[in-house]
Amino acid sequence: MLKIDHLKKGYEGNEILKGISLDVNKGDVISIIGPSGSGKTTLLRNITTLERADGGHIQFAGVDKDFQKLSSQDIQTIRRNVGFVFQNYNLFNNKTALQNITEGLIVARKVKKSEAEKIALKALERVGLSDRQNHYPSQLSGGQQQRVGIARAVALNPQVIFFDEPTSALDPELVGEVLKVMRDLAESGTTMVVVTHQMNFARHVSNKVIFMADGYIVEQGSPEEVFAHPSETRTKEFLTDILANV
Amino acid sequence: MENVRLIINFLGQLLPAINITLVVSVSSIILGSLLGLGLAAAKKSESAILRVISAVYVSVIRATPSIIMIFVVYYGMPLLFSGWFHVNIEGWNRMYFVIIALTLLFSAPVSEIMRSAYESVSKGQMEAGLMVGMTPFQTFYRILLPQAFVVALPNFANSVINLLKEGALTFTIGVVDMVAKAQMIVANNSGGYAWQTYCALALIYWVISLAIDKGVTLVEKSYQAKRKTIAA
Ligand SMILES: Nc1ncnc2c1ncn2[C@@H]1O[C@H](COP(=O)(O)OP(=O)(O)O)[C@@H](O)[C@H]1O
Ligand SMILES: [Mg+2]
């Protein structure tokens, strides 16, 4: 459904992504793990066209082109078929929880307002926040904001939702409520690509795990393969470190 | 008591000329805001040339006293127009020259206010807009602009009040605004009742700036109230 080939990206001659290839199939829940600075955020931002890759190819939603040759029409097509959940939520500060969700439906998808509100309420219900629909982001806890962020992505019914460390900015006691929502989504068949340090999620919810370091995919496979029988030394070291620190 | 009566009397004589002051101010505010927006956009643009032009313009204009700006425009522009375009604009309504001068003056601080308000809105707001499928313009207009507006409002109001005061120099090139009117009244009274006349004038300016402040407070309140009532 989404196929990335040899994606490359650098900043000022510094190569950050050194040729990443990635296949996402419908219903996949892919966890991307790896040390900080390894290029995980950069990867998601380049796939979703928040940044323009220096090289590589994308096949997605009818677009089949080198990143550098994407027209603005192609970019719009890609954006309309992905969802993105940000590390620091990025809810629209001047909109209520409900409006955060209806905005994209009404403005980008041209859905009627009443219809959009119905969809948004359903999405809020799904993340357990029906009673917060009229609250502004500043009136919500971090965990609630992130759940609205997830509802905002889900409501647009994109082909795949990207999550960039969705629980990293949260106080520990709020992590659980967000992970639960993500687990529910995964179980209902939502296609997800999740950058995370939550090893439990990676191991028990995803069907595929990718370990990244220094701009490369070092190892990938089923959670069982990567966690129980990692073949690369770097993977073993990383897992030993992170599991020791939990 | 006699003084109060005089001041009230002068108020009545001055107020009809407020039209000129308002037309000059409102035109300059609108045109200056548009120019300021352009300058702020230039300052944030990819082109190094545009950024430099905008920065130099703002720093020059900010250092120019209003009276000098008014004279430069009034005496300079007709020469420029006849020299470059062979058009004679000396016969223009003098009000136009003042409006142009004040527009130039107003655009500089306003561009800075707009730029810093824009920068105060986090980059993530734009990215979130793009990721729900909105175009950059839709996101700017619906998400960034309303947030920047609230941030800019108090400083913008300050600049408007400054502009209003600088507009009091309009009389220097012979436009009959309230200040010119006051001078005429004093002259008609052979220099008598001067302080009462100018007090009446100051009162008018005070009331206008009070009204501006009040307006800003109301707008800010309505923004806050909206959030409270909805969430309650
Ligand atoms: N806009 C940018 N300009 C320059 N360097 C950047 C930029 N964004 C990311 N980087 C660099 O790219 C590297 C990878 O960053 P990132 O993708 O955020 O890593 P991760 O998400 O895995 O922690 C880091 O060294 C970071 O400093
Ligand atoms: Mg990151």
Side-chain angles (χ1 to χ4, degrees):
Chain A
M1 174 185 79
L2 167 67
K3 193 169 162 53
I4 302 291
D5 263 312
H6 286 92
L7 195 165
K8 290 190 177 196
K9 177 69 180 181
Y11 299 107
E12 289 114 39
N14 226 343
E15 198 160 50
I16 303 296
L17 298 178
K18 300 167 183 165
I20 302 277
S21 300
L22 180 70
D23 255 309
V24 183
N25 297 312
K26 195 163 161 36
D28 268 352
V29 177
I30 300 178
S31 287
I32 302 179
I33 60 175
S36 122
S38 55
K40 305 181 297 295
T41 297
T42 308
L43 176 62
L44 297 199
R45 294 173 58 83
N46 279 274
I47 295 175
T48 55
T49 75
L50 282 177
E51 286 177 35
R52 184 63 81 96
D54 301 332
H57 192 94
I58 181 168
Q59 217 174 309
F60 178 58
V63 176
D64 187 354
K65 276 192 186 167
D66 287 349
F67 275 103
Q68 284 177 304
K69 294 190 181 132
L70 293 177
S71 65
S72 50
Q73 190 59 51
D74 296 329
I75 288 176
Q76 201 60 20
T77 303
I78 293 170
R79 288 178 180 167
R80 295 218 167 156
N81 284 283
V82 299
F84 204 105
V85 175
F86 297 88
Q87 187 167 350
N88 48 4
Y89 336 129
N90 286 340
L91 294 188
F92 304 131
N93 293 317
N94 58 328
K95 304 278 175 191
T96 63
L98 190 80
Q99 292 167 338
N100 260 276
I101 303 172
T102 56
E103 192 71 7
L105 289 165
I106 296 171
V107 179
R109 294 282 164 85
K110 310 285 178 227
V111 176
K112 276 217 311 277
K113 186 164 177 234
S114 56
E115 182 64 20
E117 283 175 352
K118 242 185 260 165
I119 298 173
L121 278 172
K122 221 177 267 165
L124 277 177
E125 198 181 313
R126 213 166 158 185
V127 300
L129 287 172
S130 305
D131 57 334
R132 293 287 187 277
Q133 53 168 301
N134 291 326
H135 286 240
Y136 282 89
S138 60
Q139 300 163 323
L140 298 171
S141 73
Q144 292 171 335
Q145 289 189 57
Q146 192 59 294
R147 280 145 70 197
V148 174
I150 294 172
R152 175 171 71 179
V154 169
L156 292 160
N157 196 22
Q159 294 196 39
V160 46
I161 303 180
F162 292 88
F163 295 74
D164 188 13
E165 297 197 33
T167 59
S168 293
L170 295 173
D171 292 336
E173 75 272 18
L174 302 176
V175 169
E177 64 190 57
V178 172
L179 285 178
K180 180 181 174 300
V181 165
M182 290 172 61
R183 183 187 286 260
D184 289 347
L185 280 184
E187 281 166 5
S188 68
T190 311
T191 311
M192 304 160 67
V193 175
V194 184
V195 172
T196 187
H197 288 298
Q198 296 293 327
M199 291 304 137
N200 261 323
F201 181 91
R203 183 156 192 176
H204 300 296
V205 181
S206 42
N207 65 332
K208 189 171 167 192
V209 177
I210 292 176
F211 172 65
M212 265 182 81
D214 296 331
Y216 291 107
I217 291 181
V218 175
E219 184 160 0
Q220 56 184 317
S222 70
E224 177 67 12
E225 283 164 353
V226 175
F227 281 97
H229 313 287
S231 53
E232 302 290 328
T233 331
R234 293 235 28 193
T235 320
K236 285 177 198 161
E237 282 170 2
F238 173 78
L239 290 173
T240 314
D241 275 359
I242 198 160
L243 295 174
N245 285 330
V246 166
Chain B
M1 225 38 228
E2 175 64 10
N3 284 332
V4 174
R5 206 185 50 77
L6 276 169
I7 289 175
I8 291 172
N9 175 31
F10 290 136
L11 275 178
Q13 297 185 43
L14 289 170
L15 272 174
I18 201 173
N19 286 342
I20 304 287
T21 306
L22 291 183
V23 167
V24 166
S25 303
V26 171
S27 315
S28 315
I29 290 165
I30 293 170
L31 295 173
S33 299
L34 291 175
L35 182 54
L37 187 66
L39 287 165
K43 190 79 181 280
K44 302 293 303 172
S45 86
E46 311 247 300
S47 150
I49 298 172
L50 281 181
R51 288 200 303 270
V52 169
I53 291 175
S54 166
V56 171
Y57 174 93
V58 169
S59 96
V60 170
I61 298 286
R62 284 216 298 197
T64 309
S66 3
I67 184 122
I68 294 178
M69 179 62 84
I70 291 172
F71 285 161
V72 167
V73 169
Y74 180 58
Y75 294 111
M77 256 186 55
L79 294 179
L80 204 80
F81 268 62
S82 67
W84 285 6
F85 312 119
H86 306 288
V87 175
N88 182 4
I89 61 169
E90 270 173 53
W92 266 15
N93 186 331
R94 291 176 183 193
M95 218 165 64
Y96 295 159
F97 294 105
V98 180
I99 291 173
I100 290 168
L102 293 181
T103 294
L104 297 178
L105 284 171
F106 190 61
S107 66
V110 161
S111 81
E112 290 293 283
I113 291 166
M114 288 176 172
R115 184 179 58 81
S116 69
Y118 175 78
E119 283 170 358
S120 79
V121 181
S122 102
K123 210 173 125 231
Q125 297 284 302
M126 173 57 84
E127 297 186 342
L130 300 179
M131 285 295 101
V132 298
M134 293 198 281
T135 64
F137 180 78
Q138 286 169 336
T139 312
F140 173 77
Y141 185 73
R142 300 182 57 93
I143 307 295
L144 277 71
L145 199 60
Q147 293 182 51
F149 175 76
V150 182
V151 175
L153 200 56
N155 290 327
F156 184 81
N158 257 332
S159 290
V160 167
I161 291 172
N162 277 335
L163 170 90
L164 192 73
K165 293 194 288 190
E166 279 154 14
L169 290 164
T170 303
F171 79 95
T172 54
I173 60 168
V175 178
V176 185
D177 68 342
M178 288 191 298
V179 182
K181 188 82 189 168
Q183 287 181 319
M184 289 175 192
I185 294 172
V186 174
N188 282 343
N189 291 324
S190 322
Y193 309 122
W195 76 262
Q196 290 93 338
T197 312
Y198 288 113
C199 256
L201 186 57
L203 261 177
I204 296 173
Y205 275 100
W206 182 56
V207 169
I208 298 177
S209 80
L210 269 188
I212 293 170
D213 279 337
K214 188 76 191 160
V216 168
T217 315
L218 281 178
V219 174
E220 282 180 329
K221 276 242 177 69
S222 85
Y223 264 81
Q224 287 161 3
K226 200 176 84 188
R227 297 196 176 189
K228 279 214 190 80
T229 52
I230 288 178

